[in-house]
Amino acid sequence: MGITGVEFNADVRVIKHGFAMEFSKGINVIIGGNGTGKTTLLKSLFNSKNNPRKNTDVKNKAVPKQNPAIKDREHITVDENPAIKNSEHITADVELHIEIKNVIEVHLDNEPPLPYVYIPEKDILSIALGLPETYEYGRTELDVTDVEIIKKARVSPQVPEQPLYREICDFIKGEPEHDGERFFMKRFNLDTIIPFSEEASGYRKLGLLALLVRNEQIKHGTVLFWDEPENSLNPEIMPTLVDFLIKLQRMGVQIFLATHSEILASYICTLRKSTDHVEFFSLYKEEYQDGEEVKYDSSERFDLLSPNKLTAEIVNLYEARLEKGLGDDDE
């Protein structure tokens, strides 16, 4: 269940037309240097939720909000207007009937819609007050993923408490809560409620994960996109985070991670069992006559990726220390 592959039918930032990948039904770990398209790939997959496709050439249709004061219709296509890249970002003062081809073709192994959750790289819950409402009025430059994660975290649970939720709360020694607008952490050892903005940043990140598990925004059949989950986490917390991710995969959650952490990726490779579904991807740029093109290597083993920017820097650091030890630091 989930996304089995993707093919780009147009250029999206650094990712060019014709770029295609196949994915694991479990955890997909995406690494690569800055500017190689990791976040672009995650957001493109996430944004495809409104236009999911199986193997078909049928065109999707999108109709922007109608303006009853204007009755004229205009017919345009992406091919005729290259300024329109994605139907989700179309705005118009006139009523348009737009027939478009998807920017990407997402291959699914079940019928849509799938529940998608995107956890952005930035911490957003600590400043959540009023942001969704401000976004609706166009008074902020927040990404739609920032607003959606706030709304999903605010959902009130309608089911009994999940075992994984309790496990996360026991680890962070508190329970995340909200009043419909602001988020708080109820600390077990302090018997008090702490605003998210005053909580340790790593615990806020795990607290968000706990909230999404508690209110079943993340459950069997969910596709979870997480951009740089290692941010704000002490390395000693990495194996615990990986344990939670592997358990989500065993619950039937498909996961896409973009990471710069060699520790996180290595722990996923080390702590997985043979029955777990994990695939690693290395995005890299290859130069050609007219510019650069993003390509990738994939493997079920993190250490077999080539090129591997994360492990390469460990080697570079070792060599730098070796040169320093040999007395070359004054050159």
Side-chain angles (χ1 to χ4, degrees), residues 31-132:
I31 71 166
N34 290 326
T36 55
K38 298 185 300 299
T39 299
T40 297
L41 175 62
L42 261 62
K43 288 192 174 182
S44 295
L45 290 171
F46 175 78
N47 289 334
S48 73
K49 67 184 183 299
N50 291 332
N51 284 308
R53 297 182 70 182
K54 299 187 77 170
N55 294 315
T56 176
D57 292 328
V58 177
K59 294 181 180 180
N60 290 291
K61 294 184 179 180
V63 181
K65 184 181 296 184
Q66 296 183 2
N67 185 337
I70 302 176
K71 297 181 179 180
D72 293 337
R73 289 179 179 268
E74 183 180 356
H75 186 84
I76 60 177
T77 67
V78 168
D79 294 334
E80 295 167 355
N81 188 344
I84 298 178
K85 297 295 185 182
N86 189 317
S87 62
E88 289 191 351
H89 301 293
I90 295 171
T91 60
D93 293 327
V94 299
E95 182 184 0
L96 301 180
H97 181 76
I98 302 173
E99 187 178 11
I100 66 171
K101 294 180 179 179
N102 275 345
V103 172
I104 66 173
E105 180 176 339
V106 176
H107 298 242
L108 309 172
D109 65 358
N110 63 327
E111 291 297 328
L114 294 170
Y116 286 7
V117 173
Y118 191 106
I119 300 180
E121 174 270 333
K122 66 177 75 70
D123 169 37
I124 202 71
L125 294 195
S126 60
I127 56 171
L129 179 63
L131 287 185

Side-chain angles (χ1 to χ4, degrees), residues 25-298:
K25 67 179 181 180
I27 301 176
N28 298 274
V29 184
I30 302 166
I31 71 166
N34 290 326
T36 55
K38 298 185 300 299
T39 299
T40 297
L41 175 62
L42 261 62
K43 288 192 174 182
S44 295
L45 290 171
F46 175 78
N47 289 334
S48 73
K49 67 184 183 299
N50 291 332
N51 284 308
R53 297 182 70 182
K54 299 187 77 170
N55 294 315
T56 176
D57 292 328
V58 177
K59 294 181 180 180
N60 290 291
K61 294 184 179 180
V63 181
K65 184 181 296 184
Q66 296 183 2
N67 185 337
I70 302 176
K71 297 181 179 180
D72 293 337
R73 289 179 179 268
E74 183 180 356
H75 186 84
I76 60 177
T77 67
V78 168
D79 294 334
E80 295 167 355
N81 188 344
I84 298 178
K85 297 295 185 182
N86 189 317
S87 62
E88 289 191 351
H89 301 293
I90 295 171
T91 60
D93 293 327
V94 299
E95 182 184 0
L96 301 180
H97 181 76
I98 302 173
E99 187 178 11
I100 66 171
K101 294 180 179 179
N102 275 345
V103 172
I104 66 173
E105 180 176 339
V106 176
H107 298 242
L108 309 172
D109 65 358
N110 63 327
E111 291 297 328
L114 294 170
Y116 286 7
V117 173
Y118 191 106
I119 300 180
E121 174 270 333
K122 66 177 75 70
D123 169 37
I124 202 71
L125 294 195
S126 60
I127 56 171
L129 179 63
L131 287 185
E133 296 76 16
T134 304
Y135 177 84
E136 293 296 331
Y137 283 97
R139 304 299 298 175
T140 176
E141 294 185 357
L142 286 176
D143 191 277
V144 64
T145 55
D146 302 328
V147 175
E148 286 204 9
I149 198 62
I150 295 173
K151 292 180 178 179
K152 289 181 181 297
R154 285 177 177 174
V155 173
S156 298
Q158 303 295 325
V159 296
E161 182 180 294
Q162 305 297 311
L164 183 58
Y165 167 79
R166 180 51 49 191
E167 191 173 344
I168 299 174
C169 290
D170 288 344
F171 178 78
I172 63 178
K173 299 180 176 60
E175 289 188 81
E177 297 181 351
H178 66 87
D179 61 5
E181 293 184 316
R182 301 176 180 85
F183 291 86
F184 309 89
M185 187 75 75
K186 183 178 180 182
R187 303 292 292 173
F188 297 151
N189 56 342
L190 299 178
D191 192 28
T192 187
I193 294 179
I194 301 175
F196 248 52
S197 59
E198 298 178 17
E199 182 55 274
S201 56
Y203 282 178
R204 290 201 301 264
K205 178 156 289 190
L206 293 177
L208 169 58
L209 181 62
L211 278 171
L212 297 172
V213 171
R214 176 69 180 92
N215 62 24
E216 286 201 314
Q217 295 301 297
I218 298 179
K219 61 180 180 179
H220 176 81
T222 300
V223 182
L224 170 62
F225 304 92
W226 201 342
D227 196 1
E228 299 186 26
E230 72 275 6
N231 274 7
S232 305
L233 291 184
N234 189 290
E236 67 179 1
I237 297 180
M238 294 294 185
T240 302
L241 172 62
V242 169
D243 179 56
F244 295 152
L245 293 173
I246 291 175
K247 287 177 178 176
L248 286 173
Q249 173 261 158
R250 292 171 185 166
M251 290 167 50
V253 177
Q254 186 181 30
I255 302 173
F256 291 85
L257 305 175
T259 181
H260 289 290
S261 173
E262 188 269 343
I263 296 175
L264 179 69
S266 295
Y267 265 122
I268 292 175
C269 193
T270 301
L271 299 181
R272 62 172 296 187
K273 294 182 178 180
S274 59
T275 53
D276 294 322
H277 301 279
V278 179
E279 190 77 14
F280 296 89
F281 301 87
S282 174
L283 301 185
Y284 62 95
K285 289 182 178 180
E286 188 171 278
E287 294 186 3
Y288 61 101
Q289 184 175 1
D290 297 326
E292 295 178 322
E293 184 175 355
V294 172
K295 295 188 175 181
Y296 77 94
D297 183 44
S298 64

